[in-house]
Amino acid sequence: METLTIPPTQSSPAIVADGERGVIEMRGDSYPENSYAFFEPLVAWFQAYLAETDLPLRLELHLLYLNTSSVKIMMDLLDALEDAHQTGREVAVKWFYDAENERIAELANEFKEDCSFPFDILAVEADARP
């Protein structure tokens, strides 16, 4: 699958979906005016990747803030990963958060509660962020 790259804006994260590596990376804030329109290319890529390959898929998140509609999109993606995991697909989430931002850590933990696949929540010190 081709790599999908969505550049960041002031209100939306940078997204790189790399089919060769089986990694989707999101980095930044997520409060676009229309979350569904913004995330539509990613959702389409995500669905195609799961349907057209049997390769592992890892979601790497470096998100600082998510608005309500971005949370809904994230829930949909995690539900699809859970469904794939239940059929034997290798999937995982690595959620990196600023060690000083406990709100994002709490949100990540809420998402993790509904997932049976590997889901790591990792604090990153401000001066050690990748």
Side-chain angles (χ1 to χ4, degrees):
M1 292 208 46
E2 291 191 24
T3 296
L4 171 69
T5 302
I6 301 172
T9 69
Q10 183 175 345
S11 63
S12 61
I15 299 174
V16 177
D18 185 336
E20 286 195 20
R21 291 181 34 230
V23 175
I24 297 171
E25 183 177 352
M26 290 188 225
R27 185 179 298 270
D29 287 326
S30 186
Y31 57 96
E33 189 171 314
N34 185 337
S35 292
Y36 295 101
F38 173 77
F39 282 106
E40 192 280 327
L42 173 64
V43 170
W45 186 97
F46 183 87
Q47 291 172 338
Y49 184 88
L50 290 177
E52 297 170 11
T53 78
D54 60 355
L55 300 171
L57 184 58
R58 184 175 69 246
L59 192 56
E60 292 187 0
L61 305 172
H62 305 262
L63 298 171
L64 306 172
Y65 172 81
L66 287 86
N67 67 358
T68 303
S69 58
S70 294
V71 166
K72 172 65 173 119
I73 298 288
M74 189 62 57
M75 289 172 56
D76 292 346
L77 294 176
L78 294 174
D79 285 346
L81 285 178
E82 182 64 31
D83 291 345
H85 175 69
Q86 293 300 321
T87 65
R89 183 75 165 263
E90 183 181 337
V91 299
V93 170
K94 288 191 179 287
W95 194 314
F96 301 89
Y97 72 96
D98 184 328
E100 296 178 10
N101 187 346
E102 286 300 315
R103 292 181 76 192
I104 286 292
E106 290 170 12
L107 178 62
N109 274 299
E110 288 177 25
F111 283 129
K112 181 178 181 176
E113 289 176 3
D114 296 328
C115 301
S116 65
F117 54 82
F119 193 127
D120 297 322
I121 303 168
L122 306 160
V124 178
E125 295 301 323
D127 59 354
R129 276 184 244 144

